[in-house]
Amino acid sequence: MTRVREAIVVEGRYDVNTVRQVVDTVVLESGGFRIFHNKDQLRLLRKIAETRGLIVLTDSDGAGFVIRNYIKGALPPGSVKQAYIPDIAGKERRKRHGSKEGKLGVEGMRPAVILDALRRAGATFEDESKSSAQHETPISKADFFAWGLSGQKDSVNRRAAVLKALDLPAHMTANALLEFINAVSSRAELEKIIDRISTGD
């Protein structure tokens, strides 16, 4: 699978699934129009954009452009790249009705179309032979459980301490924290923070 350096933000969870089948990178869900009222999510996107770059990949309808323009305006200039899918009439198989404008969204795009959109946006495609040595194994939910960050009695407090150490919103979910760590931090950094929490430093 092709590895991309930048993280990619899309509209919904079905878009996330589609893009993750095409490229190997962090893919984030904007939640559609919900992003307009989610300052914590914008803060997360800003940190990721400043650290590794961010590509916005929304549907080609009017709503998609409203979302992409909002994200572009809310983040630092030069930290966001814009990927555009073509206007293709149709509807996704799982939907009873097509979109208001009758266009296929990111979810309905073929892999080659998504790759072409990312290339045109200036995505940084990393060579697999080099990147395999450079990239460590992503942190998983099982790691979070082993470190006591989820699924255990004191997980909420331990996670709050990690969020504070990373200067992240206090009520960020475990899944959002996992996405952030894999996007811009490292296993070694997180292990150091957990060691400090465990020893009470």
Side-chain angles (χ1 to χ4, degrees):
M1 186 180 289
T2 306
R3 189 186 291 275
V4 172
R5 182 184 187 280
E6 295 86 356
I8 300 172
V9 60
V10 295
E11 291 182 52
R13 61 190 175 97
Y14 290 101
D15 301 329
V16 170
N17 294 337
T18 297
V19 175
R20 280 181 177 161
Q21 291 172 34
V22 179
V23 290
D24 179 10
T25 192
V26 174
V27 186
L28 305 152
E29 179 187 348
S30 72
F33 289 158
R34 290 198 302 274
I35 196 171
F36 299 155
H37 311 289
N38 194 335
K39 290 182 179 175
D40 287 344
Q41 188 182 25
L42 267 184
R43 188 177 176 188
L44 174 65
L45 291 178
R46 188 174 294 113
K47 281 179 174 283
I48 292 173
E50 290 171 345
T51 306
R52 65 185 289 170
L54 187 72
I55 297 173
V56 180
L57 178 62
T58 61
D59 294 349
S60 61
D61 58 10
F65 273 80
V66 169
I67 293 165
R68 81 161 61 241
N69 287 333
Y70 176 77
I71 294 172
K72 180 183 177 183
L75 300 185
S79 66
V80 178
K81 295 177 180 178
Q82 302 284 341
Y84 299 94
I85 58 170
D87 283 347
I88 299 175
K91 76 172 185 67
E92 287 77 12
R93 289 179 188 173
R94 70 176 179 86
K95 294 180 180 176
R96 260 188 203 173
H97 307 289
S99 69
K100 191 175 179 182
E101 296 175 32
K103 299 174 183 178
L104 281 177
V106 170
E107 175 194 343
M109 291 293 127
R110 290 179 292 108
V113 174
I114 291 174
L115 278 173
D116 185 57
L118 294 174
R119 284 195 184 95
R120 289 170 181 267
T124 308
F125 289 92
E126 299 184 344
D127 180 66
E128 283 300 319
S129 62
K130 294 177 183 175
S131 63
S132 59
Q134 294 170 348
H135 290 265
E136 59 185 23
T137 305
I139 294 168
S140 66
K141 289 184 178 180
D143 291 322
F144 263 35
F145 181 80
W147 290 324
L149 297 178
S150 65
Q152 299 195 37
K153 197 181 292 184
D154 198 36
S155 292
V156 172
N157 292 332
R158 288 176 68 82
R159 200 162 60 245
V162 171
L163 290 168
K164 186 176 180 181
L166 291 170
D167 191 30
L168 292 171
H171 53 276
M172 184 183 282
T173 65
N175 285 340
L177 175 59
L178 185 64
E179 284 183 336
F180 178 83
I181 294 291
N182 281 324
V184 303
S185 191
S186 68
R187 182 179 294 271
E189 182 183 3
L190 185 56
E191 286 176 341
K192 282 181 186 175
I193 292 170
I194 290 166
D195 283 344
R196 288 201 300 270
I197 293 167
S198 300
T199 57
D201 292 344

